[in-house]
Amino acid sequence: MFRIYKYSFTEMLLFPPVGVNELRLKARLEGKTVLITGASFGIGESLAYQLAATGVHLILVARTQDKLEEVKARIEALGGKATVFTADMSRSDDVLRLTEFLSRLQGGVDIVVNNAGKSIRRPVMESLDRLHDFGRTMAINYSGPVQLILALIPGLLKNKGQIINVSSVSVLLAPAPKWAAYQASKSAFDQWFRCVSPELNAGGVATTTVYLPLVRTRMIAPTEAYNKMPAMNPGHVAAIIGRAMINRKRRHAPWWLFFGQLGSLLFRGVLESMNIWFLNRKQTL
Ligand SMILES: NC(=O)c1ccc[n+]([C@@H]2O[C@H](COP(=O)([O-])OP(=O)(O)OC[C@H]3O[C@@H](n4cnc5c(N)ncnc54)[C@H](OP(=O)(O)O)[C@@H]3O)[C@@H](O)[C@H]2O)c1
């Protein structure tokens, strides 16, 4: 089914609609268990609603318990089943608590959606005494998910399950100034996931990376410049992830990403010089 979001003309061109066959999604998911990290807001929350009526058992993970309970209540009102697990995915003791809980679930986990994430945009000159920014983003965007997935691999192999990683187009494009903490941590996980994927695929576990452009969630709200930039609707992303659960493809990316990657490769020097020129100009204004 196609849903048309309130998009500008440019957004419609950049983010063409994606159809999800709800019957096939239900057939694929009925009776299964899907874990969504970062299910309290944004993309994770929208995905939880997208899957609510499929007969799946959703495990909703995030830090904000009240909000998770609200999401669970809405899922139940839609006829679904959900369990809330509050955890800070950047803390290894919390991830351990979560994996112990999951190991007691009958049948284990069938699909993991690694979605919880944190972004920081800060100039390096404002980061000199903020090593913790880099530690925190690495913990939530890299080491927490690695710890979670390592613990779930035996069960996923048994269930011939799937891991879906919610990533960013930025990890495949020329690096952007001020985004060092976020882009390094998302790139680290992307690289780790691409390394382990063939081993998992050989064992029957599907691995999918969804490379996203800007998405209109609270994550981008603090960056004023993004208010007027084209951005996807989180419901649209939920449809993309739902579709990935049906077709189990390795990767979803916007159609234009290839041209961005080509430009990043061919014009690396030009882009780096443009960044310096732009930063100098801003300083003199
Ligand atoms: N928005 C974009 O433009 C964009 C673009 C590309 C990729 N992405 C990726 O999309 C994913 C979802 O982001 P979003 O845009 O939906 O942002 P969001 O609305 O801020 O949601 C982030 C989710 O992650 C959870 N979370 C954050 N820190 C956590 C922690 N330490 N432990 C457990 N849960 C944590 C949050 O819940 P609590 O605060 O309740 O813990 C929330 O549910 C992220 O991985 C992000 O990198 C986003």
Side-chain angles (χ1 to χ4, degrees):
M1 189 178 121
F2 290 102
R3 283 194 185 87
I4 303 297
Y5 300 100
K6 268 182 115 187
Y7 278 161
S8 65
F9 180 68
T10 317
E11 286 171 331
M12 281 195 290
L13 285 180
L14 292 174
F15 320 128
V18 164
V20 192
N21 184 324
E22 315 250 343
L23 288 176
R24 283 185 68 197
L25 189 62
K26 194 168 177 346
R28 166 74 74 186
L29 296 182
E30 195 146 36
K32 299 212 162 137
T33 299
V34 175
L35 168 73
I36 306 175
T37 67
S40 52
F41 295 96
I43 294 165
E45 180 184 7
S46 292
L47 177 63
Y49 302 143
Q50 166 85 52
L51 305 181
T54 58
V56 80
H57 177 195
L58 291 168
I59 313 288
L60 310 173
V61 179
R63 293 166 302 179
T64 316
Q65 176 145 16
D66 296 356
K67 187 63 201 305
L68 285 177
E69 295 293 350
E70 267 178 45
V71 177
K72 173 180 152 87
R74 209 171 142 191
I75 287 165
E76 286 171 351
L78 292 165
K81 179 180 174 193
T83 301
V84 162
F85 194 97
T86 314
D88 182 339
M89 293 295 297
S90 66
R91 293 178 54 113
S92 63
D93 49 347
D94 271 21
V95 180
L96 186 62
R97 242 182 353 99
L98 172 62
T99 56
E100 281 169 357
F101 160 76
L102 296 171
S103 71
R104 292 192 295 273
L105 276 184
Q106 211 185 353
V109 174
D110 296 284
I111 302 179
V112 183
V113 183
N114 174 45
N115 167 72
K118 175 183 173 62
S119 81
I120 295 181
R121 178 180 181 268
R122 184 162 288 132
V124 71
M125 294 313 289
E126 289 172 25
S127 308
L128 303 184
D129 57 352
R130 296 185 65 91
L131 181 63
H132 55 270
D133 279 351
F134 300 90
R136 281 179 196 156
T137 41
M138 281 307 273
I140 175 66
N141 295 335
Y142 176 68
S143 46
V146 169
Q147 186 186 351
L148 174 70
I149 289 169
L150 288 178
L152 293 180
I153 283 174
L156 289 167
L157 285 167
K158 209 162 120 204
N159 291 349
K160 304 278 179 234
Q162 184 178 18
I163 306 168
I164 300 177
N165 179 37
V166 179
S167 189
S168 162
V169 293
S170 64
V171 307
L172 301 176
L173 297 173
K178 304 183 187 176
W179 286 102
Y182 180 66
Q183 290 197 2
S185 59
K186 292 297 270 190
S187 300
F189 188 82
D190 183 61
Q191 193 70 15
W192 181 85
F193 195 48
R194 286 167 66 190
C195 285
V196 299
S197 284
E199 296 177 62
L200 298 174
N201 299 158
V205 177
T207 52
T208 304
T209 301
V210 179
Y211 293 102
L212 296 176
L214 275 187
V215 184
R216 193 79 61 211
T217 65
R218 68 179 189 158
M219 183 174 274
I220 66 164
T223 311
E224 214 178 296
Y226 288 163
N227 286 341
K228 290 192 182 126
M229 285 177 70
M232 256 188 170
N233 181 292
H236 190 162
V237 179
I240 289 169
I241 299 174
R243 202 171 140 114
M245 289 175 179
I246 299 172
N247 62 31
R248 287 165 64 98
K249 277 194 182 159
R250 290 208 184 93
R251 154 189 160 120
H252 174 94
W255 61 266
W256 40 262
L257 182 62
F258 169 76
F259 301 101
Q261 285 183 274
L262 198 63
S264 296
L265 190 70
L266 295 178
F267 304 114
R268 176 177 170 162
V270 178
L271 290 168
E272 284 168 355
S273 302
M274 273 172 62
N275 276 332
I276 298 166
W277 176 82
F278 191 70
L279 291 167
N280 278 334
R281 186 168 163 267
K282 272 199 124 179
Q283 268 166 16
T284 52
L285 282 180

